[in-house]
């Protein structure tokens, strides 16, 4: 650390030595004239008196100057210590720190900020990124940053930034304006701090995904399916749009587990999920409903269109022997289908109707699609009678 040292100037004690000698001789001359009875010129007496007064004032001024110099040296020392402390923080913190003009032109950035964006040092970073606006991937994020800055400063705003190799960085930015007082014509500047929260953001997203997906198949789980499907059914009913629902169950899946073990059974469900996803559109909502049961919601799909999809699913699964490593297992599914027919329909009702159709498919021999219609005599037996029969012992799936 550089330290400003204060040295006493030996000349301070001798600076008025000559003047003191002159004043001394003048005083001696006045004293001799008094003792000899010869009076000195009054003007000379006044001159000596004023000269003595001037000499005393000059001494005071020199003393004050020494004190001021000492204080200035102490202030300079404190300023150097403060500057080194600031520079140490600026250079070594893990957060990115920047300073820019009111228009966003970057003036300074610390090493952490340069490394955050994949640059070797601050000079290279500032050469490639001249304005804070260039760091934002989203124009909306930048406008939000500008608005907050103009109001009361930016406080922990989350932003997407363009990182190394066009990778997306999630950053948390805080910034405030400052006034450069004492500089004539100078405008306010901006100082900000950036914290990399990419890892935390990814962990939160992964946690949300785990809460919404089935851990075995990677499909949506039952809870999240219900959340998405309720919104979609309400939207379709409100806008009088078509919508269909499929519930499917793997035929004789218990025999697969009993013959090959639950590990092979799990592999079969994973492989079947891939076939299922490949058989539907991206907009369709596919979920594992429970056990070996799956559900598919088909927005904007009429009953006839849903039948085409359901038959494609059963055909793809039937023709695909599920490869489970040591064995290839033939699987089939039974499908129950229903469609939105009234603005009063809700998700619970559609699930109930599709489940009734699924039981009909099981009863009629499996590996088939059955459609639930609300017209009379759509099944060989009435809806209530069929539902009751499906719950009798020995009539399981």
């Amino acid at each position: 650390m550089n330290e400003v040292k204060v040295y006493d100037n030996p000349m301070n004690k001798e600076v008025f030595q000559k003047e003191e000698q002159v004043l001394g001789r003048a005083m001696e001359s006045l004293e001799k004239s008094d003792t000899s009875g010869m009076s000195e010129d009054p003007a000379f007496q006044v001159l000596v008196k004023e000269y003595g007064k001037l000499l005393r004032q000059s001494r005071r001024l020199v003393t004050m100057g020494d004190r001021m110099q000492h204080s200035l040296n102490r202030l300079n020392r404190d300023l150097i210590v403060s500057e080194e402390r600031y520079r140490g923080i600026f250079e070594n913190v893990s957060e990115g720190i920047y300073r820019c003009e009111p228009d966003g032109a970057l003036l300074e950035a610390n090493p952490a900020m340069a490394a955050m964006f994949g640059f070797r040092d601050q000079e290279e970073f500032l050469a490639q990124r001249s304005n804070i606006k260039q760091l934002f991937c989203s124009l909306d994020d930048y406008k939000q940053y500008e608005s907050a800055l103009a109001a009361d400063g930016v406080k922990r705003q989350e932003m997407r930034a363009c990182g190394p190799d066009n990778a997306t960085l999630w950053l948390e930015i805080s910034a405030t304006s400052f006034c450069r007082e004492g500089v004539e014509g100078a405008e306010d500047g901006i100082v900000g701090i950036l914290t990399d929260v990419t890892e935390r953001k990814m962990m939160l997203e992964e946690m949300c995904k785990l809460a919404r997906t089935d851990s075995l198949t990677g499909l949506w789980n039952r809870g999240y399916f219900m959340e998405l499907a309720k919104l979609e059914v309400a939207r379709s009913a409100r806008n009088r749009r078509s919508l269909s629902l499929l519930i499917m169950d793997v035929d004789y899946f218990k025999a697969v587990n009993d013959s090959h073990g639950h590990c092979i059974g799990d592999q079969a469900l994973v492989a079947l999920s891939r076939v299922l996803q490949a058989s539907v559109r991206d907009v369709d909502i596919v979920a594992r409903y429970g056990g070996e049961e799956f559900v598919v919601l088909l927005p904007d799909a009429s009953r006839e269109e849903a039948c085409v999809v359901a038959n494609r699913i059963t055909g793809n699964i039937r023709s695909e022997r599920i490869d489970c490593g040591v064995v290839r297992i033939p699987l089939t599914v039974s499908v129950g289908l229903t469609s939105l027919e009234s603005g009063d329909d809700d998700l619970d009702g559609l699930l109930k109707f599709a489940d009734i159709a699924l039981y009909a498919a099981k009863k009629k021999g499996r590996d088939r699609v059955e459609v639930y219609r609300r017209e009379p005599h759509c099944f060989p037996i009435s809806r209530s009678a069929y539902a009751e029969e499906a719950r009798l012992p020995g009539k399981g799936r």
Side-chain angles (χ1 to χ4, degrees):
M1 179 187 298
N2 296 327
E3 184 176 354
V4 175
K5 296 182 178 179
V6 179
Y7 297 98
D8 290 330
N9 188 350
M11 294 297 293
N12 288 348
K13 298 178 181 179
E14 302 175 2
V15 67
F16 296 112
Q17 186 175 5
K18 183 178 180 181
E19 287 76 4
E20 288 176 352
Q21 291 174 353
V22 171
L23 181 62
R25 287 196 295 269
M27 295 294 290
E28 289 176 3
S29 176
L30 287 174
E31 290 176 0
K32 288 179 180 179
S33 64
D34 288 341
T35 56
S36 64
M38 296 176 63
S39 60
E40 284 283 356
D41 184 356
F44 180 72
Q45 293 178 1
V46 172
L47 180 62
V48 171
K49 183 179 179 181
E50 292 299 324
Y51 189 80
K53 187 188 295 184
L54 181 61
L55 184 58
R56 288 192 299 272
Q57 290 175 346
S58 298
R59 284 173 176 165
R60 291 193 192 100
L61 288 173
V62 170
T63 302
M64 290 175 60
D66 287 342
R67 290 174 180 171
M68 290 177 65
Q69 184 62 49
H70 179 73
S71 297
L72 184 60
N73 289 341
R74 187 175 65 250
L75 288 173
N76 284 335
R77 183 184 64 245
D78 293 343
L79 182 61
I80 290 174
V81 171
S82 178
E83 172 67 19
E84 290 187 349
R85 185 182 297 116
Y86 159 76
R87 187 56 54 183
I89 295 172
F90 186 80
E91 297 287 341
N92 297 304
V93 293
S94 57
E95 288 79 11
I97 303 175
Y98 68 90
R99 187 169 60 86
C100 66
E101 298 284 6
D103 63 358
L106 286 165
L107 299 173
E108 193 174 15
N110 70 339
M113 187 164 178
M116 194 179 292
F117 287 90
F119 295 96
R120 292 191 304 270
D121 50 42
Q122 303 103 298
E123 289 75 17
E124 184 182 15
F125 170 75
L126 292 173
Q128 298 293 325
R129 301 286 189 271
S130 59
N131 195 292
I132 191 71
K133 187 175 182 179
Q134 295 176 269
L135 307 184
F136 289 79
C137 286
S138 166
L139 183 59
D140 290 338
D141 285 351
Y142 180 71
K143 288 182 177 178
Q144 183 182 349
Y145 163 84
E146 275 192 317
S147 300
L149 196 59
D152 191 29
V154 182
K155 296 178 176 64
R156 302 171 69 89
Q157 174 190 331
E158 199 172 80
M159 61 174 276
R160 282 189 304 115
C162 303
D165 301 323
N166 294 323
T168 297
L169 289 177
W170 284 100
L171 303 177
E172 199 172 71
I173 183 170
S174 299
T176 187
S177 300
F178 67 92
C179 183
R180 288 173 282 194
E181 297 180 356
V183 181
E184 186 177 355
E187 298 179 351
D188 292 348
I190 298 165
V191 63
I193 299 176
L194 292 172
T195 305
D196 190 343
V197 295
T198 305
E199 186 175 348
R200 185 179 73 190
K201 183 78 173 178
M202 293 177 64
M203 287 177 63
L204 288 173
E205 289 179 352
E206 185 64 22
M207 289 173 64
C208 289
K209 183 178 179 182
L210 290 174
R212 294 172 174 178
T213 56
D214 174 60
S215 59
L216 176 64
T217 63
L219 300 175
W220 297 128
N221 60 25
R222 179 173 181 153
Y224 192 55
F225 169 81
M226 297 295 286
E227 183 179 333
L228 294 176
K230 282 180 181 178
L231 295 174
E232 195 62 47
V233 171
R235 182 190 69 83
S236 297
R238 183 174 59 253
N239 298 329
R240 300 183 180 278
R241 303 293 299 270
S242 300
L243 179 140
S244 296
L245 176 70
L246 311 178
I247 292 182
M248 62 195 70
D249 186 85
V250 182
D251 297 326
Y252 302 112
F253 191 70
K254 185 176 182 300
V256 175
N257 282 331
D258 291 344
S259 301
H260 304 286
H262 288 277
C263 183
I264 295 298
D266 287 346
Q267 292 180 42
L269 291 178
V270 171
L272 185 144
S273 299
R274 289 197 293 267
V275 175
L276 180 57
Q277 283 183 301
S279 303
V280 299
R281 304 168 298 176
D282 291 338
V283 296
D284 299 330
I285 303 172
V286 184
R288 186 183 181 191
Y289 201 55
E292 65 271 20
E293 197 169 57
F294 297 84
V295 62
V296 181
L297 191 74
L298 305 169
D300 299 316
S302 65
R303 179 190 300 165
E304 291 73 17
E305 291 169 332
C307 285
V308 173
V309 175
N311 282 304
R312 180 165 66 243
I313 291 172
T314 55
N316 289 346
I317 293 174
R318 186 185 308 117
S319 60
E320 180 88 13
R321 284 184 169 269
I322 307 299
D323 187 357
C324 296
V326 293
V327 292
R328 292 177 64 85
I329 302 173
L331 292 179
T332 61
V333 294
S334 300
V335 181
L337 185 156
T338 191
S339 298
L340 192 67
E341 295 184 10
S342 167
D344 296 330
D345 285 341
D346 58 15
L347 179 61
D348 291 339
L350 292 176
L351 288 169
K352 177 182 176 181
F353 299 150
D355 198 53
I356 292 172
L358 175 61
Y359 275 107
K362 291 287 185 180
K363 184 176 178 64
K364 292 183 178 181
R366 296 176 170 81
D367 189 19
R368 60 187 297 123
V369 179
E370 286 293 324
V371 180
Y372 182 89
R373 295 182 179 84
R374 315 221 191 145
E375 298 86 352
H377 313 300
C378 63
F379 294 121
I381 51 180
S382 69
R383 186 173 110 198
S384 57
Y386 179 74
E388 183 179 349
E389 181 180 332
R391 290 194 293 270
L392 294 176
K395 297 294 182 179
R397 302 181 188 183

